[in-house]
Amino acid sequence: MNRTAAIDPAYKPLSVDTLAERLAGVEAIAARLGADRSAWRCREVGDGNLNLVFIVEGRAGSLVVKQALPYVRLVGESWPLPLKRAFFEYHALVRQADRDPGRVPEVVHFDEKQACIAMEYLSRHIILRRSFIAGDRVARLSEALGLFMARTLFRGSDLSMDTATRKADLTLFAGNVELCDITENLVFSDPYFEAEMNRHTTPQLDGVVAELRADHALKIEAQHLKSAFCSNAETLLHGDLHSGSVMVSRDDIRVIDPEFAVYGPIGFDVGMLIGNLLMAYFAQRGHEAQAGERDTYREWILDQACEVWSVFESEFSRLWRTERTGILYQRTLYEDQGHALAAEAALSQRLAAIWRDTLGFAGIEMHRRILGLAHIAELEEITDEDLRAGCEERALRLGRQLVVNRGALRTMNEICALARAMETEAVT
Ligand code: SR1
Ligand code: MG
């Protein structure tokens, strides 16, 4: 893993005591918060793996100020990480806002030297993981996320972009090396051997972990998927589209935190999201006061997984038919020759390939969140370790099926049936 990072001498981490003084001169920020900076109230709320996050409230309004630290917050200064990830996050937010308006927080100010983005504060929203833990349904979740993925992934690909824009953008995001390196190792390799930073619920999961790490078919497929992530630069990905990167309120859903943005396979974002929905499904046992209490909620989560794929598929198909103006599958070759049916066949083939990738990436995400460094709150907050291990083992076993059998699984209904069967199976 690359462990070097040069820090700009002008860079200084913000603190609750210095933020107002340091940002008061930024016109866009003062305009949003109110000119009287003595009235600005600031708190640090970052609970993610990497950055500082401040909420600042003034007389006129509020903002979130997110600043990259020169190291991985989760691990500490022993793991340096370049500040330039804020640059990639900013550029990804701008593109996503353009491709699916209203779905990402509005950017108010970006300071590249200070690796800091000031953006809209979503005061009514909570992280989606919190809803899953509480057992709360979120209105229009699958619709919002399915549309977001279809629009950003289609419009950021060579199905939509011209060659000059596309190549320039590919070059720009190719600089997001260290975050890519994190994904390559933490997601695709570390879970499958005894890597230094790994952890799992022990001793309960020791048996299944040994089984998975000795599973040749799984290890080969995991590297095939890693190869697709590294080499198949189909589109600009969000790059970290899990339930911690989605904020929800009664009537609004936003996608945040695209600092892992890079060009990669379309199925990577879709699979990561579906993998997180499936893990939230298996985690429910750990959050119900009595067995079965959350049966209908569990089913609701599976419905979200089915619908997110069907919304993605139908919006992607709509865009294919109406916005296919890029480098690939030009209309001049198909519709303009009277070969619209061939364009439809090509669409089906592309969707089938995205589906296979999606299942594989979903399974890999389910493994790395249970075996690797970065775990998820839905499982981590189950305090009874035996109960937690049961939820985790079911997710691990379904994950394995998704990775290894992805070529044979055809529909989300099949995946849901597998999840239901796994949920009722006795484990550990
Ligand atoms: C060291 S960073 C660990 C994880 O946190 C981020 O949210 C990404 O998911 C990354 O893999
Ligand atoms: Mg994040």
Side-chain angles (χ1 to χ4, degrees), residues 1 79 182 184-198 213 223 226 368 371-373:
M1 215 174 272
W79 186 347
I182 288 180
E184 288 160 9
N185 287 294
L186 254 53
V187 176
F188 291 101
S189 289
D190 287 7
Y192 302 105
F193 74 105
E194 281 186 28
E196 197 187 327
M197 290 181 297
N198 283 348
R213 289 188 181 147
Q223 291 306 293
K226 182 174 182 178
R368 74 98 168 203
L371 306 178
L373 168 73

mmCIF file of all heavy atoms in Angstrom, residues 1 79 182 184-198 213 223 226 368 371-373:
data_model
loop_
_atom_site.group_PDB
_atom_site.id
_atom_site.type_symbol
_atom_site.label_atom_id
_atom_site.label_comp_id
_atom_site.label_asym_id
_atom_site.label_seq_id
_atom_site.Cartn_x
_atom_site.Cartn_y
_atom_site.Cartn_z
ATOM 1 N N MET A 1 0.839 -1.200 0.000
ATOM 2 C CA MET A 1 0.000 0.000 0.000
ATOM 3 C C MET A 1 0.879 1.256 0.000
ATOM 4 O O MET A 1 1.903 1.294 0.674
ATOM 5 C CB MET A 1 -0.884 -0.021 1.236
ATOM 6 C CG MET A 1 -2.227 0.569 0.991
ATOM 7 S SD MET A 1 -3.317 0.395 2.411
ATOM 8 C CE MET A 1 -4.044 -1.193 2.099
ATOM 9 N N TRP A 79 -0.934 6.316 9.177
ATOM 10 C CA TRP A 79 -1.375 6.030 7.806
ATOM 11 C C TRP A 79 -1.640 7.360 7.084
ATOM 12 O O TRP A 79 -2.764 7.845 7.072
ATOM 13 C CB TRP A 79 -2.622 5.160 7.808
ATOM 14 C CG TRP A 79 -3.052 4.708 6.438
ATOM 15 C CD1 TRP A 79 -2.629 5.175 5.221
ATOM 16 C CD2 TRP A 79 -4.015 3.696 6.145
ATOM 17 N NE1 TRP A 79 -3.246 4.519 4.211
ATOM 18 C CE2 TRP A 79 -4.101 3.596 4.739
ATOM 19 C CE3 TRP A 79 -4.806 2.848 6.929
ATOM 20 C CZ2 TRP A 79 -4.958 2.697 4.114
ATOM 21 C CZ3 TRP A 79 -5.658 1.961 6.302
ATOM 22 C CH2 TRP A 79 -5.725 1.883 4.906
ATOM 23 N N ILE A 182 -6.611 2.187 -1.630
ATOM 24 C CA ILE A 182 -7.351 1.704 -0.446
ATOM 25 C C ILE A 182 -8.408 0.689 -0.888
ATOM 26 O O ILE A 182 -8.513 -0.406 -0.337
ATOM 27 C CB ILE A 182 -8.025 2.882 0.306
ATOM 28 C CG1 ILE A 182 -6.967 3.713 1.022
ATOM 29 C CG2 ILE A 182 -9.079 2.377 1.291
ATOM 30 C CD1 ILE A 182 -7.525 4.905 1.793
ATOM 31 N N GLU A 184 -8.601 -1.010 -3.699
ATOM 32 C CA GLU A 184 -8.007 -2.223 -4.288
ATOM 33 C C GLU A 184 -7.591 -3.212 -3.197
ATOM 34 O O GLU A 184 -7.818 -4.415 -3.314
ATOM 35 C CB GLU A 184 -6.811 -1.839 -5.167
ATOM 36 C CG GLU A 184 -7.248 -1.167 -6.473
ATOM 37 C CD GLU A 184 -6.142 -0.349 -7.130
ATOM 38 O OE1 GLU A 184 -4.978 -0.425 -6.681
ATOM 39 O OE2 GLU A 184 -6.450 0.391 -8.092
ATOM 40 N N ASN A 185 -6.991 -2.695 -2.134
ATOM 41 C CA ASN A 185 -6.497 -3.592 -1.080
ATOM 42 C C ASN A 185 -7.565 -3.937 -0.049
ATOM 43 O O ASN A 185 -7.794 -5.111 0.246
ATOM 44 C CB ASN A 185 -5.280 -2.974 -0.398
ATOM 45 C CG ASN A 185 -4.083 -3.048 -1.328
ATOM 46 O OD1 ASN A 185 -3.601 -4.130 -1.640
ATOM 47 N ND2 ASN A 185 -3.632 -1.911 -1.812
ATOM 48 N N LEU A 186 -8.197 -2.903 0.509
ATOM 49 C CA LEU A 186 -9.147 -3.162 1.605
ATOM 50 C C LEU A 186 -10.381 -3.940 1.152
ATOM 51 O O LEU A 186 -10.936 -4.732 1.912
ATOM 52 C CB LEU A 186 -9.605 -1.828 2.213
ATOM 53 C CG LEU A 186 -9.032 -1.471 3.585
ATOM 54 C CD1 LEU A 186 -7.530 -1.552 3.592
ATOM 55 C CD2 LEU A 186 -9.480 -0.092 4.010
ATOM 56 N N VAL A 187 -10.807 -3.665 -0.082
ATOM 57 C CA VAL A 187 -12.046 -4.302 -0.545
ATOM 58 C C VAL A 187 -11.774 -5.658 -1.207
ATOM 59 O O VAL A 187 -12.458 -6.639 -0.917
ATOM 60 C CB VAL A 187 -12.794 -3.360 -1.526
ATOM 61 C CG1 VAL A 187 -14.031 -4.031 -2.104
ATOM 62 C CG2 VAL A 187 -13.171 -2.053 -0.820
ATOM 63 N N PHE A 188 -10.776 -5.684 -2.072
ATOM 64 C CA PHE A 188 -10.642 -6.865 -2.935
ATOM 65 C C PHE A 188 -9.613 -7.901 -2.471
ATOM 66 O O PHE A 188 -9.654 -9.040 -2.917
ATOM 67 C CB PHE A 188 -10.270 -6.432 -4.360
ATOM 68 C CG PHE A 188 -11.383 -5.705 -5.061
ATOM 69 C CD1 PHE A 188 -11.383 -4.321 -5.163
ATOM 70 C CD2 PHE A 188 -12.445 -6.409 -5.605
ATOM 71 C CE1 PHE A 188 -12.415 -3.652 -5.808
ATOM 72 C CE2 PHE A 188 -13.478 -5.754 -6.255
ATOM 73 C CZ PHE A 188 -13.459 -4.369 -6.347
ATOM 74 N N SER A 189 -8.662 -7.497 -1.624
ATOM 75 C CA SER A 189 -7.612 -8.467 -1.258
ATOM 76 C C SER A 189 -7.593 -8.810 0.221
ATOM 77 O O SER A 189 -7.620 -9.984 0.594
ATOM 78 C CB SER A 189 -6.229 -7.937 -1.687
ATOM 79 O OG SER A 189 -6.133 -7.976 -3.090
ATOM 80 N N ASP A 190 -7.534 -7.780 1.090
ATOM 81 C CA ASP A 190 -7.357 -8.039 2.527
ATOM 82 C C ASP A 190 -8.347 -9.056 3.118
ATOM 83 O O ASP A 190 -7.945 -9.892 3.930
ATOM 84 C CB ASP A 190 -7.434 -6.733 3.329
ATOM 85 C CG ASP A 190 -6.182 -5.874 3.148
ATOM 86 O OD1 ASP A 190 -5.339 -6.247 2.303
ATOM 87 O OD2 ASP A 190 -6.063 -4.840 3.827
ATOM 88 N N PRO A 191 -9.632 -8.997 2.734
ATOM 89 C CA PRO A 191 -10.566 -9.940 3.373
ATOM 90 C C PRO A 191 -10.193 -11.398 3.154
ATOM 91 O O PRO A 191 -10.601 -12.259 3.924
ATOM 92 C CB PRO A 191 -11.913 -9.633 2.688
ATOM 93 C CG PRO A 191 -11.764 -8.242 2.167
ATOM 94 C CD PRO A 191 -10.325 -8.079 1.811
ATOM 95 N N TYR A 192 -9.399 -11.659 2.096
ATOM 96 C CA TYR A 192 -9.176 -13.052 1.702
ATOM 97 C C TYR A 192 -7.847 -13.628 2.194
ATOM 98 O O TYR A 192 -7.441 -14.698 1.771
ATOM 99 C CB TYR A 192 -9.340 -13.174 0.176
ATOM 100 C CG TYR A 192 -10.727 -12.697 -0.214
ATOM 101 C CD1 TYR A 192 -10.931 -11.462 -0.830
ATOM 102 C CD2 TYR A 192 -11.847 -13.457 0.126
ATOM 103 C CE1 TYR A 192 -12.212 -11.006 -1.126
ATOM 104 C CE2 TYR A 192 -13.128 -13.012 -0.153
ATOM 105 C CZ TYR A 192 -13.305 -11.786 -0.775
ATOM 106 O OH TYR A 192 -14.579 -11.347 -1.043
ATOM 107 N N PHE A 193 -7.179 -12.909 3.088
ATOM 108 C CA PHE A 193 -6.019 -13.482 3.791
ATOM 109 C C PHE A 193 -5.891 -12.745 5.120
ATOM 110 O O PHE A 193 -6.624 -11.785 5.378
ATOM 111 C CB PHE A 193 -4.740 -13.395 2.942
ATOM 112 C CG PHE A 193 -4.132 -12.011 2.843
ATOM 113 C CD1 PHE A 193 -2.973 -11.689 3.559
ATOM 114 C CD2 PHE A 193 -4.700 -11.016 2.060
ATOM 115 C CE1 PHE A 193 -2.407 -10.427 3.469
ATOM 116 C CE2 PHE A 193 -4.142 -9.745 1.972
ATOM 117 C CZ PHE A 193 -2.990 -9.455 2.681
ATOM 118 N N GLU A 194 -4.964 -13.173 5.949
ATOM 119 C CA GLU A 194 -4.843 -12.559 7.275
ATOM 120 C C GLU A 194 -4.072 -11.250 7.183
ATOM 121 O O GLU A 194 -2.926 -11.160 7.625
ATOM 122 C CB GLU A 194 -4.168 -13.530 8.236
ATOM 123 C CG GLU A 194 -5.124 -14.586 8.738
ATOM 124 C CD GLU A 194 -4.506 -15.471 9.799
ATOM 125 O OE1 GLU A 194 -3.600 -15.027 10.525
ATOM 126 O OE2 GLU A 194 -4.944 -16.635 9.884
ATOM 127 N N ALA A 195 -4.673 -10.241 6.606
ATOM 128 C CA ALA A 195 -4.001 -8.945 6.460
ATOM 129 C C ALA A 195 -3.964 -8.257 7.827
ATOM 130 O O ALA A 195 -4.851 -8.466 8.672
ATOM 131 C CB ALA A 195 -4.744 -8.092 5.446
ATOM 132 N N GLU A 196 -2.945 -7.407 7.972
ATOM 133 C CA GLU A 196 -2.649 -6.781 9.262
ATOM 134 C C GLU A 196 -3.849 -6.068 9.898
ATOM 135 O O GLU A 196 -4.088 -6.178 11.096
ATOM 136 C CB GLU A 196 -1.520 -5.788 9.012
ATOM 137 C CG GLU A 196 -0.789 -5.325 10.236
ATOM 138 C CD GLU A 196 0.189 -4.201 9.844
ATOM 139 O OE1 GLU A 196 0.739 -4.227 8.714
ATOM 140 O OE2 GLU A 196 0.365 -3.302 10.690
ATOM 141 N N MET A 197 -4.579 -5.308 9.106
ATOM 142 C CA MET A 197 -5.627 -4.466 9.695
ATOM 143 C C MET A 197 -6.989 -5.156 9.778
ATOM 144 O O MET A 197 -7.957 -4.557 10.231
ATOM 145 C CB MET A 197 -5.734 -3.166 8.904
ATOM 146 C CG MET A 197 -4.525 -2.281 9.103
ATOM 147 S SD MET A 197 -4.663 -0.742 8.180
ATOM 148 C CE MET A 197 -4.699 -1.324 6.517
ATOM 149 N N ASN A 198 -7.065 -6.376 9.326
ATOM 150 C CA ASN A 198 -8.351 -7.095 9.375
ATOM 151 C C ASN A 198 -8.830 -7.320 10.800
ATOM 152 O O ASN A 198 -8.017 -7.426 11.724
ATOM 153 C CB ASN A 198 -8.200 -8.494 8.766
ATOM 154 C CG ASN A 198 -8.151 -8.474 7.252
ATOM 155 O OD1 ASN A 198 -8.434 -7.468 6.629
ATOM 156 N ND2 ASN A 198 -7.784 -9.597 6.675
ATOM 157 N N ARG A 213 -11.241 -18.187 3.325
ATOM 158 C CA ARG A 213 -9.858 -17.883 2.905
ATOM 159 C C ARG A 213 -9.178 -19.075 2.222
ATOM 160 O O ARG A 213 -8.161 -18.908 1.549
ATOM 161 C CB ARG A 213 -9.039 -17.385 4.109
ATOM 162 C CG ARG A 213 -9.495 -15.988 4.501
ATOM 163 C CD ARG A 213 -8.635 -15.328 5.554
ATOM 164 N NE ARG A 213 -9.209 -14.013 5.837
ATOM 165 C CZ ARG A 213 -9.186 -13.410 7.017
ATOM 166 N NH1 ARG A 213 -8.583 -13.978 8.035
ATOM 167 N NH2 ARG A 213 -9.739 -12.217 7.175
ATOM 168 N N GLN A 223 -10.373 -11.773 -7.438
ATOM 169 C CA GLN A 223 -9.344 -11.086 -8.214
ATOM 170 C C GLN A 223 -9.839 -10.747 -9.622
ATOM 171 O O GLN A 223 -9.434 -9.738 -10.201
ATOM 172 C CB GLN A 223 -8.046 -11.907 -8.245
ATOM 173 C CG GLN A 223 -7.363 -11.951 -6.887
ATOM 174 C CD GLN A 223 -7.107 -10.562 -6.289
ATOM 175 O OE1 GLN A 223 -6.314 -9.787 -6.804
ATOM 176 N NE2 GLN A 223 -7.808 -10.247 -5.201
ATOM 177 N N LYS A 226 -11.525 -7.619 -8.958
ATOM 178 C CA LYS A 226 -10.534 -6.550 -8.731
ATOM 179 C C LYS A 226 -9.959 -6.085 -10.077
ATOM 180 O O LYS A 226 -9.764 -4.886 -10.306
ATOM 181 C CB LYS A 226 -9.417 -7.066 -7.823
ATOM 182 C CG LYS A 226 -8.363 -6.025 -7.483
ATOM 183 C CD LYS A 226 -7.366 -6.566 -6.475
ATOM 184 C CE LYS A 226 -6.327 -5.528 -6.072
ATOM 185 N NZ LYS A 226 -5.400 -6.045 -5.054
ATOM 186 N N ARG A 368 -15.910 -7.698 2.821
ATOM 187 C CA ARG A 368 -14.907 -6.787 3.386
ATOM 188 C C ARG A 368 -15.431 -6.033 4.608
ATOM 189 O O ARG A 368 -14.661 -5.643 5.476
ATOM 190 C CB ARG A 368 -14.365 -5.852 2.298
ATOM 191 C CG ARG A 368 -15.284 -4.752 1.853
ATOM 192 C CD ARG A 368 -14.933 -3.458 2.559
ATOM 193 N NE ARG A 368 -15.620 -2.345 1.935
ATOM 194 C CZ ARG A 368 -15.212 -1.113 2.023
ATOM 195 N NH1 ARG A 368 -14.124 -0.817 2.708
ATOM 196 N NH2 ARG A 368 -15.894 -0.144 1.459
ATOM 197 N N LEU A 371 -14.957 -8.805 7.360
ATOM 198 C CA LEU A 371 -13.629 -9.402 7.559
ATOM 199 C C LEU A 371 -12.487 -8.396 7.542
ATOM 200 O O LEU A 371 -11.386 -8.693 7.993
ATOM 201 C CB LEU A 371 -13.353 -10.439 6.452
ATOM 202 C CG LEU A 371 -14.404 -11.531 6.269
ATOM 203 C CD1 LEU A 371 -14.033 -12.451 5.123
ATOM 204 C CD2 LEU A 371 -14.542 -12.332 7.554
ATOM 205 N N GLY A 372 -12.732 -7.226 6.995
ATOM 206 C CA GLY A 372 -11.645 -6.273 6.775
ATOM 207 C C GLY A 372 -11.528 -5.228 7.876
ATOM 208 O O GLY A 372 -11.950 -5.444 9.013
ATOM 209 N N LEU A 373 -10.976 -4.070 7.511
ATOM 210 C CA LEU A 373 -10.755 -2.990 8.486
ATOM 211 C C LEU A 373 -12.045 -2.219 8.786
ATOM 212 O O LEU A 373 -12.338 -1.922 9.942
ATOM 213 C CB LEU A 373 -9.697 -2.022 7.918
ATOM 214 C CG LEU A 373 -9.540 -0.688 8.647
ATOM 215 C CD1 LEU A 373 -8.840 -0.888 9.991
ATOM 216 C CD2 LEU A 373 -8.767 0.322 7.805
#
